[in-house]
Amino acid sequence: MPAKELTRPCMDCKDAEAVLTTRKRSLCSHCFKLFIAHKTFRRMDHHKAPPKKQKDYVPSKLLLPLSLGVSSSVLLHILDGQLQRQIANIHGRVAYQLHVLVIEPSTISPGNLSYDSNFEELQRKFPTHAFTRLPFHSVFEYVPEMKDLINEYAGTQFADDSSRSDKDRLAAFRACVATATSKDDLDNVLLTRLVVAFAKQAGCETILWGDSDTRLAAKTLAGAAKGRGASLTWQVSDGMSPWGVQFEFPLRDINKPELHQFASVCSELANIVVPDQPISENTLTKNLSIDELMMRYVETQGAKYPGVIANVSRTANKLQPAGSDDCAECALCGSLVSNVKGNTGITVSSQFGESQGSRFCYGCSRSRPEVRS
Ligand SMILES: [Zn+2]
Ligand SMILES: [Zn+2]
């Protein structure tokens, strides 16, 4: 049979037209998706169903926090494909079950519209999994000590009013934080606490974060700049978090442009993914948070030197947690409070004196509403 007439054959299957190029290889959409999925499955290898039938086998529950952005949506799509194949095989045993948590984006960033239709589409396209949608202010419900904690943390800059709704109380706290960097930093801390508390309540032993290697590199650099080097062992590396829930980053071998490519050839995600809000060219650099700046930097440099950026997150993944025998954990973010040995190479102490500083780590102290840096 004569070979197909192809102008640019896929370098893997040689049987279809190549539609995109990645890592110097031109691939058809099918082979490209396989390539990305394999990189993800390699990171999920240790979640296995038992080879033989076991009467009392209960698959573990994994939580996937979904921001409706491109990365976590692609992760859901890839893992859903893996689970559907396991369901369809002869024994139908799945390696794990997914619980998807969406923290309503409109409650995080006021510019975001409500994403009701994206959420409905999500449940329609991936009906096998459990879904929960929560507003950001439910952090007060899931982490009951958080109200007292932010009062203590914010000090005199923040006057809490217990007669107001949780939504208003969270808004008031966020409004008293001075800089874009501190706002982003504290939002990330609160979101992590909410996701972890939900995971524990839902019986999930592991949280699968959808960070690409680009995002992990940006988090590494921003974390070091913000004095949060010690928490990189669980914010960027696969391992145990301070709350007894495992953190994993299955997309750590895939960069952000590749995830965009994946979404572009994946019609199922078309009405689910909310595009990143581009940072306006008119936004002054000094008004951007360190996290935004680092993401922008890593995206630009990653396009030129992808190997260098991959190396940043790969190196961070090898960090080992410092021993915590003689150190208390930060009441807010879970990092060690002071004198962290090993990872950062620096000794830090709070600038708020012993009485106030002891409960919060250096990174959190720097983001305090009273501090204008
Ligand atoms: Zn192909
Ligand atoms: Zn802290």
Side-chain angles (χ1 to χ4, degrees), residues 192-218:
T192 305
R193 293 294 306 266
L194 173 55
V195 171
V196 167
F198 180 83
K200 290 182 94 154
Q201 201 183 83
C204 299
E205 59 190 50
T206 299
I207 299 175
L208 303 172
W209 299 99
D211 301 61
S212 62
D213 96 335
T214 316
R215 174 98 187 105
L216 290 173

CSV table of all heavy atoms in Angstrom, one decimal, residues 192-218:
chain,number,residue,atom,x,y,z
A,192,THR,N,-3.3,27.6,50.4
A,192,THR,CA,-2.7,26.3,50.7
A,192,THR,C,-3.3,25.7,52.0
A,192,THR,O,-3.7,24.5,52.0
A,192,THR,CB,-1.1,26.5,51.0
A,192,THR,OG1,-0.6,27.1,49.8
A,192,THR,CG2,-0.5,25.1,51.2
A,193,ARG,N,-3.5,26.6,53.0
A,193,ARG,CA,-4.2,26.1,54.2
A,193,ARG,C,-5.6,25.6,53.9
A,193,ARG,O,-6.0,24.5,54.5
A,193,ARG,CB,-4.2,27.2,55.3
A,193,ARG,CG,-2.9,27.6,55.8
A,193,ARG,CD,-2.1,26.6,56.6
A,193,ARG,NE,-2.9,26.0,57.7
A,193,ARG,CZ,-2.8,26.4,59.0
A,193,ARG,NH1,-2.1,27.4,59.3
A,193,ARG,NH2,-3.6,25.8,59.9
A,194,LEU,N,-6.3,26.3,53.1
A,194,LEU,CA,-7.7,25.8,52.8
A,194,LEU,C,-7.7,24.5,52.0
A,194,LEU,O,-8.4,23.6,52.4
A,194,LEU,CB,-8.4,26.9,51.9
A,194,LEU,CG,-9.8,26.6,51.4
A,194,LEU,CD1,-10.7,26.1,52.4
A,194,LEU,CD2,-10.4,27.8,50.6
A,195,VAL,N,-6.8,24.4,51.0
A,195,VAL,CA,-6.7,23.1,50.2
A,195,VAL,C,-6.3,22.0,51.1
A,195,VAL,O,-6.9,20.9,51.1
A,195,VAL,CB,-5.7,23.3,49.1
A,195,VAL,CG1,-5.5,22.0,48.4
A,195,VAL,CG2,-6.2,24.3,48.0
A,196,VAL,N,-5.3,22.2,52.0
A,196,VAL,CA,-4.9,21.1,52.9
A,196,VAL,C,-6.0,20.7,53.9
A,196,VAL,O,-6.3,19.5,54.0
A,196,VAL,CB,-3.6,21.5,53.7
A,196,VAL,CG1,-3.3,20.6,54.8
A,196,VAL,CG2,-2.4,21.7,52.8
A,197,ALA,N,-6.7,21.7,54.5
A,197,ALA,CA,-7.7,21.4,55.4
A,197,ALA,C,-8.9,20.6,54.7
A,197,ALA,O,-9.4,19.7,55.3
A,197,ALA,CB,-8.3,22.7,56.1
A,198,PHE,N,-9.2,21.0,53.5
A,198,PHE,CA,-10.2,20.3,52.8
A,198,PHE,C,-9.8,18.9,52.5
A,198,PHE,O,-10.5,17.9,52.6
A,198,PHE,CB,-10.6,21.0,51.4
A,198,PHE,CG,-11.6,20.3,50.7
A,198,PHE,CD1,-13.0,20.5,51.0
A,198,PHE,CD2,-11.3,19.4,49.7
A,198,PHE,CE1,-13.9,19.8,50.3
A,198,PHE,CE2,-12.2,18.7,49.0
A,198,PHE,CZ,-13.6,18.9,49.3
A,199,ALA,N,-8.5,18.7,52.0
A,199,ALA,CA,-8.0,17.4,51.7
A,199,ALA,C,-8.1,16.5,52.9
A,199,ALA,O,-8.6,15.3,52.8
A,199,ALA,CB,-6.5,17.5,51.3
A,200,LYS,N,-7.8,17.0,54.1
A,200,LYS,CA,-7.8,16.1,55.3
A,200,LYS,C,-9.3,15.8,55.6
A,200,LYS,O,-9.6,14.6,55.9
A,200,LYS,CB,-7.2,16.9,56.5
A,200,LYS,CG,-5.7,17.0,56.3
A,200,LYS,CD,-5.1,17.7,57.5
A,200,LYS,CE,-4.6,16.7,58.5
A,200,LYS,NZ,-3.5,17.2,59.3
A,201,GLN,N,-10.2,16.7,55.5
A,201,GLN,CA,-11.6,16.4,55.8
A,201,GLN,C,-12.2,15.4,54.8
A,201,GLN,O,-13.0,14.6,55.1
A,201,GLN,CB,-12.4,17.7,55.8
A,201,GLN,CG,-13.7,17.6,56.5
A,201,GLN,CD,-14.5,18.8,56.5
A,201,GLN,OE1,-15.2,19.1,55.5
A,201,GLN,NE2,-14.4,19.7,57.5
A,202,ALA,N,-11.7,15.5,53.5
A,202,ALA,CA,-12.2,14.6,52.5
A,202,ALA,C,-11.5,13.3,52.5
A,202,ALA,O,-11.8,12.4,51.6
A,202,ALA,CB,-12.1,15.3,51.1
A,203,GLY,N,-10.6,13.1,53.4
A,203,GLY,CA,-9.8,11.8,53.4
A,203,GLY,C,-8.8,11.6,52.3
A,203,GLY,O,-8.6,10.4,51.9
A,204,CYS,N,-8.3,12.7,51.8
A,204,CYS,CA,-7.3,12.5,50.7
A,204,CYS,C,-5.9,12.5,51.3
A,204,CYS,O,-5.6,13.4,52.1
A,204,CYS,CB,-7.4,13.7,49.7
A,204,CYS,SG,-9.0,13.8,48.9
A,205,GLU,N,-5.1,11.5,50.9
A,205,GLU,CA,-3.8,11.4,51.5
A,205,GLU,C,-2.7,12.2,50.8
A,205,GLU,O,-1.6,12.5,51.3
A,205,GLU,CB,-3.3,10.0,51.6
A,205,GLU,CG,-3.3,9.3,50.3
A,205,GLU,CD,-3.1,7.8,50.4
A,205,GLU,OE1,-3.9,7.2,51.1
A,205,GLU,OE2,-2.3,7.2,49.7
A,206,THR,N,-3.0,12.6,49.5
A,206,THR,CA,-2.1,13.3,48.7
A,206,THR,C,-2.8,14.4,48.0
A,206,THR,O,-3.9,14.3,47.6
A,206,THR,CB,-1.5,12.3,47.7
A,206,THR,OG1,-0.8,11.3,48.4
A,206,THR,CG2,-0.5,13.0,46.7
A,207,ILE,N,-2.0,15.5,47.8
A,207,ILE,CA,-2.6,16.6,46.9
A,207,ILE,C,-1.7,16.7,45.7
A,207,ILE,O,-0.5,16.7,45.8
A,207,ILE,CB,-2.5,18.0,47.7
A,207,ILE,CG1,-3.4,17.9,48.9
A,207,ILE,CG2,-3.0,19.1,46.8
A,207,ILE,CD1,-3.3,19.1,49.8
A,208,LEU,N,-2.3,16.7,44.5
A,208,LEU,CA,-1.6,16.7,43.3
A,208,LEU,C,-1.7,18.2,42.7
A,208,LEU,O,-2.8,18.6,42.3
A,208,LEU,CB,-2.3,15.8,42.2
A,208,LEU,CG,-2.4,14.3,42.6
A,208,LEU,CD1,-3.2,13.6,41.6
A,208,LEU,CD2,-1.0,13.7,42.7
A,209,TRP,N,-0.6,18.9,42.9
A,209,TRP,CA,-0.6,20.3,42.4
A,209,TRP,C,-0.3,20.3,40.9
A,209,TRP,O,0.5,19.6,40.4
A,209,TRP,CB,0.4,21.1,43.2
A,209,TRP,CG,0.2,21.2,44.7
A,209,TRP,CD1,0.8,20.4,45.6
A,209,TRP,CD2,-0.8,22.0,45.4
A,209,TRP,NE1,0.3,20.8,46.9
A,209,TRP,CE2,-0.6,21.8,46.7
A,209,TRP,CE3,-1.7,23.0,44.9
A,209,TRP,CZ2,-1.4,22.4,47.7
A,209,TRP,CZ3,-2.4,23.7,45.9
A,209,TRP,CH2,-2.3,23.4,47.3
A,210,GLY,N,-0.9,21.3,40.2
A,210,GLY,CA,-0.8,21.3,38.7
A,210,GLY,C,0.4,22.2,38.3
A,210,GLY,O,0.3,22.7,37.1
A,211,ASP,N,1.4,22.4,39.1
A,211,ASP,CA,2.5,23.4,38.7
A,211,ASP,C,3.4,22.8,37.6
A,211,ASP,O,3.9,21.7,37.7
A,211,ASP,CB,3.3,23.7,39.9
A,211,ASP,CG,2.6,24.4,41.0
A,211,ASP,OD1,1.6,23.7,41.5
A,211,ASP,OD2,2.8,25.5,41.3
A,212,SER,N,3.6,23.6,36.5
A,212,SER,CA,4.5,23.2,35.5
A,212,SER,C,5.9,23.4,36.0
A,212,SER,O,6.1,24.0,37.0
A,212,SER,CB,4.3,24.1,34.2
A,212,SER,OG,4.5,25.4,34.6
A,213,ASP,N,6.9,23.0,35.2
A,213,ASP,CA,8.3,23.2,35.6
A,213,ASP,C,8.6,24.7,35.6
A,213,ASP,O,9.4,25.2,36.4
A,213,ASP,CB,9.3,22.3,34.9
A,213,ASP,CG,10.0,22.9,33.7
A,213,ASP,OD1,9.4,23.8,33.1
A,213,ASP,OD2,11.1,22.5,33.4
A,214,THR,N,8.0,25.4,34.7
A,214,THR,CA,8.1,26.9,34.6
A,214,THR,C,7.7,27.5,35.9
A,214,THR,O,8.4,28.4,36.5
A,214,THR,CB,7.3,27.5,33.5
A,214,THR,OG1,7.4,26.6,32.3
A,214,THR,CG2,7.7,28.9,33.2
A,215,ARG,N,6.5,27.1,36.4
A,215,ARG,CA,5.9,27.7,37.6
A,215,ARG,C,6.8,27.3,38.8
A,215,ARG,O,7.0,28.1,39.8
A,215,ARG,CB,4.5,27.2,37.7
A,215,ARG,CG,3.8,27.5,39.0
A,215,ARG,CD,2.9,28.8,38.8
A,215,ARG,NE,2.4,29.2,40.1
A,215,ARG,CZ,2.8,30.2,40.8
A,215,ARG,NH1,3.7,31.0,40.3
A,215,ARG,NH2,2.3,30.5,42.0
A,216,LEU,N,7.3,26.0,38.8
A,216,LEU,CA,8.1,25.6,40.0
A,216,LEU,C,9.4,26.4,40.1
A,216,LEU,O,9.8,26.7,41.1
A,216,LEU,CB,8.3,24.1,39.9
A,216,LEU,CG,7.1,23.2,40.1
A,216,LEU,CD1,7.5,21.7,39.8
A,216,LEU,CD2,6.6,23.3,41.5
A,217,ALA,N,10.0,26.7,38.9
A,217,ALA,CA,11.2,27.5,38.9
A,217,ALA,C,10.9,28.9,39.4
A,217,ALA,O,11.6,29.4,40.2
A,217,ALA,CB,11.8,27.5,37.5
A,218,ALA,N,9.8,29.5,39.0
A,218,ALA,CA,9.4,30.8,39.4
A,218,ALA,C,9.1,30.8,40.9
A,218,ALA,O,9.5,31.7,41.7
A,218,ALA,CB,8.2,31.3,38.7
